[in-house]
Amino acid sequence: MPIRTRAGALTAVAAAALTGVTALAAPAAAAPPPAFLSAADLPPHPSSSWTAGEVTDGVPDELRLCLDEVFPGYDSRYRPFHTDLDTSARQLTIVTGSTAKAAALADRMNREIRSCAGRIERSDPQVEAGYRHYGRVAVEEGARVHGLHTETSWGATDIRLLSVGRDGRTVTVVEWSQMGDFGDAPVRAFRKTTATAVNKLY
């Protein structure tokens, strides 16, 4: 083989090898961020439609009532929702470093919500709080639904439904709230919302 041709062949082989190494070294595409509920996924309101807000970094203040001690060290995003009346909702998502960390976080969140009523009463003698567990939702790695009712000494009464669900290493929390008590809570519709929230993550 002529020297020039041989040199050209070697250059081509080297270029092909370099291309292969570059392809192998290229990082995998980043996983897409978890998706959020839309307004249509919320429990129907009898007299007002839902409006969805923008997805924002951080934690909504409403969730700090029961879960404030859980959040340090995690990056999180949330989306608020509201009606034209007193009913509101929000969804929070947290992506952890592993499925084990996500499972531990979800377990701790469920424990914090279960004990929240007692902590509220101990911190403010003018508030009575009650808790109900509404069971599991069979979706991905599972979800739990909780109810929390608070009533002040001056007559203000509020009902919240909260759920904690997990898909792999991602945990999501959904909260619905309005004035009222346990009898005003749309538990069946909220369980459906919870399933949708977890299914829509990825």
Side-chain angles (χ1 to χ4, degrees), residues 2-129:
I3 293 175
R4 183 175 298 174
T5 304
R6 182 181 298 162
L10 291 174
T11 301
V13 171
L18 181 60
T19 300
V21 171
T22 302
L24 290 173
F36 283 80
L37 292 166
S38 66
D41 298 322
L42 275 294
H45 191 281
S47 59
S48 177
S49 59
W50 285 97
T51 299
E54 297 295 325
V55 175
T56 305
D57 291 338
V59 175
D61 290 339
E62 295 87 348
L63 288 181
R64 294 190 178 278
L65 177 67
C66 292
L67 296 172
D68 198 34
E69 297 300 318
V70 177
F71 297 125
Y74 290 102
D75 292 329
S76 56
R77 303 165 75 227
Y78 71 95
R79 187 176 202 181
F81 304 85
H82 68 273
T83 65
D84 293 333
L85 301 175
D86 67 315
T87 309
S88 64
R90 55 224 47 96
Q91 180 188 7
L92 173 77
T93 63
I94 299 174
V95 181
T96 68
S98 68
T99 56
K101 289 181 179 179
L105 176 61
D107 287 344
R108 184 179 176 190
M109 285 180 161
N110 283 310
R111 291 195 303 270
E112 292 290 312
I113 294 171
R114 285 196 297 269
S115 63
C116 188
R119 297 200 311 274
I120 290 172
E121 290 188 337
R122 288 191 295 272
S123 66
D124 190 343
Q126 297 191 76
V127 178
E128 293 185 2

